[in-house]
Amino acid sequence: MTTPVYFPAQFMEHTPHAVFMQRCLQLADLGAGYTAPNPLVGAILVHDGRIIGEGYHGIYGGPHAEVNCIQSVKSADRVLIPSSTLYVSLEPCCHYGKTPPCTELILGEKIKKTVIGCRDPFPLVDGKGIEKLRTQGVAVEFPVLEDLAKEKNHRFFTFHLNKRPYIILKWAESANHKIAAEQGKRTGISNAWSNRLVHKWRTEEAGILIGTNTAMLDNPQLTARLWTGKNPVRIVVDHQLRLPVSLNIFDGTAPTIILNGKKDSLSGDLIFKKIPLERPDPASILSALHSLQIMSLLVEGGAKLLQSFINAGSWDEIRILTNQELLLPGGIPSPQLGNAQFVKSETYGPDQVSYYRNPKMLFP
Ligand code: AOF
Ligand code: ZN
């Protein structure tokens, strides 16, 4: 557990709830990469300006932030729980999922005051957690730091409100904006530092998507082996089921979904998911992935697949690694950015990493 922060009583009068909510948001981050399709949530218990408990949702299927927070209270402080305020970055749940409702826990512990960051868009909760607490006599202060609390869970909100995964399009390109030297030839573009950054990104998303040609020609592993964390689910579009099982994506090192036009089947970590269309488009791919509970997606190519997502307006972020020292005459042009809005750039040796956002596509 982290060191408790102590606010003296006279300071407390002027301490906005925002300070304690900030702490919840910090704690929420500790679950990043492990909770999908659940949200990132942090909670603290504050008694007379002193934090007596802290917790966060650490892993999908595991205890919620509120449970870990209450469990962390030292035995000498347990008597203080009913007269403490529970701060939580997301509305407490009121349903039986993999774990029991947090509202029952709050009521059972006789906590009389809660401060909540933002509403939970999950249909089984969606305001009903707050209502339950209020009707049972718990004072609820809501919302506090709502924009930051929602931003923390932009993947979760996008998944529930837009009914599709949160989408990050990514590619590496030469200084003259080519993603490969020629069709069918794997071209090394990014460097050891930026490759590690990409593997870090892989640990942060639920799934990683590529098209048939990229799977066939590049034979990628799509794992996060250069960074510590969880491998994303590998997702490949293979409409005609042309891909040979000798490819790395079939090596069993990470769960793999094959989106195809022929069959639905499940064998261990290998899922075949049928898309009943002549040609799968972004909308059909996304609705299949939504039904498979893939909360966020890193799309890593090829150019045609990336462009189809841009053209459909189905994307949230674009991240481009540009090797400023590499020129590829001829070659395959990078996708066209369309209405992408520049956010920032970073430098990793010769590579510049540029981040864009979709100005139209934030959750409602
Ligand atoms: C909370 N605190 O820390 C989280 C919540 O299957 P379960 O029981 O884990 O429930 C998952 C749902 O609970 C998830 O979709 C979201 O609505 C909520 N997550 N709620 O009170 C938490 N992680
Ligand atoms: Zn809960």
Side-chain angles (χ1 to χ4, degrees):
M1 204 181 96
T2 39
T3 318
V5 184
Y6 178 67
F7 289 100
Q10 73 276 18
F11 188 94
M12 184 57 197
E13 275 175 27
H14 307 285
T15 304
H17 288 323
V19 174
F20 291 120
M21 192 54 72
Q22 281 282 11
R23 180 62 188 149
C24 294
L25 294 172
Q26 281 180 341
L27 289 163
D29 270 340
L30 299 175
Y34 292 95
T35 63
N38 277 356
L40 299 175
V41 188
I44 62 174
L45 261 175
V46 179
H47 184 269
D48 207 9
R50 181 168 68 93
I51 296 179
I52 63 165
E54 293 194 332
Y56 61 94
H57 184 44
I59 190 158
Y60 175 70
H64 286 182
E66 299 89 323
V67 176
N68 287 330
C69 172
I70 286 167
Q71 261 180 8
S72 78
V73 177
K74 291 198 186 92
S75 42
D77 285 335
R78 293 206 65 86
V79 61
L80 304 174
I81 293 176
S83 51
S84 299
T85 300
L86 178 73
Y87 288 78
V88 54
S89 58
L90 185 80
E91 174 182 6
C93 67
C94 52
H95 70 296
Y96 285 86
K98 292 204 174 301
T99 66
C102 289
T103 46
E104 294 305 317
L105 173 72
I106 294 167
L107 296 170
E109 294 286 342
K110 303 195 167 21
I111 294 168
K112 291 174 207 67
K113 184 158 186 202
T114 62
V115 180
I116 296 170
C118 66
R119 189 173 168 123
D120 182 346
F122 180 56
L124 292 180
V125 186
D126 198 17
K128 295 183 269 297
I130 292 175
E131 197 183 300
K132 170 91 187 178
L133 292 174
R134 282 188 172 145
T135 54
Q136 297 295 313
V138 179
V140 177
E141 186 112 10
F142 159 85
V144 170
L145 295 190
E146 185 176 29
D147 289 349
L148 288 177
K150 282 184 167 177
E151 178 58 29
K152 177 76 53 200
N153 276 311
H154 49 304
R155 293 168 178 81
F156 182 71
F157 272 82
T158 299
F159 183 73
H160 286 294
L161 299 180
N162 294 339
K163 308 225 176 318
R164 62 156 176 80
Y166 183 84
I167 301 162
I168 301 166
L169 309 180
K170 170 256 153 182
W171 64 86
E173 62 176 25
S174 62
N176 59 333
H177 310 295
K178 301 292 169 65
I179 63 162
E182 58 190 79
Q183 188 75 49
K185 192 157 172 243
R186 189 180 176 130
T187 314
I189 295 177
S190 47
N191 64 50
W193 291 284
S194 52
N195 286 341
R196 276 162 179 74
L197 178 67
V198 170
H199 283 224
K200 175 176 184 284
W201 292 344
R202 289 178 176 179
T203 65
E204 292 165 353
E205 310 311 329
I208 178 168
L209 173 72
I210 57 168
T212 321
N213 287 338
T214 305
M216 189 82 100
L217 303 169
D218 282 3
N219 191 16
Q221 297 175 58
L222 302 182
T223 54
R225 61 206 172 277
L226 300 177
W227 201 264
T228 304
K230 209 163 149 254
N231 282 327
V233 176
R234 305 184 283 200
I235 304 155
V236 184
V237 183
D238 180 16
H239 205 54
Q240 302 301 326
L241 290 179
R242 286 193 290 128
L243 296 175
V245 291
S246 55
L247 291 178
N248 286 327
I249 49 154
F250 293 110
D251 65 8
T253 55
T256 304
I257 297 171
I258 309 294
L259 299 174
N260 71 93
K262 294 186 186 296
K263 66 173 183 182
D264 275 314
S265 77
L266 171 68
S267 116
D269 267 353
L270 183 60
I271 296 172
F272 287 85
K273 173 80 179 164
K274 188 170 170 181
I275 295 186
L277 274 187
E278 198 53 34
R279 287 202 137 270
D281 56 1
S284 59
I285 291 172
L286 295 173
S287 110
L289 295 180
H290 183 262
S291 72
L292 290 168
Q293 299 289 303
I294 301 293
M295 186 164 78
S296 66
L297 196 60
L298 191 61
V299 186
E300 287 216 23
K304 247 168 61 187
L305 186 70
L306 289 161
Q307 193 69 61
S308 71
F309 277 83
I310 295 175
N311 293 349
S314 297
W315 64 278
D316 298 283
E317 286 184 46
I318 295 176
R319 301 175 185 173
I320 307 173
L321 294 85
T322 308
N323 182 336
Q324 293 166 303
E325 291 176 358
L326 179 71
L327 283 175
L328 293 173
I332 314 291
S334 303
Q336 299 286 316
L337 279 175
N339 65 343
Q341 191 176 71
F342 177 76
V343 176
K344 63 171 182 177
S345 68
E346 296 164 350
T347 304
Y348 294 82
D351 289 358
Q352 178 158 310
V353 181
S354 308
Y355 298 80
Y356 297 82
R357 65 181 279 272
N358 187 341
K360 287 211 184 122
M361 197 47 93
L362 269 189
F363 46 81

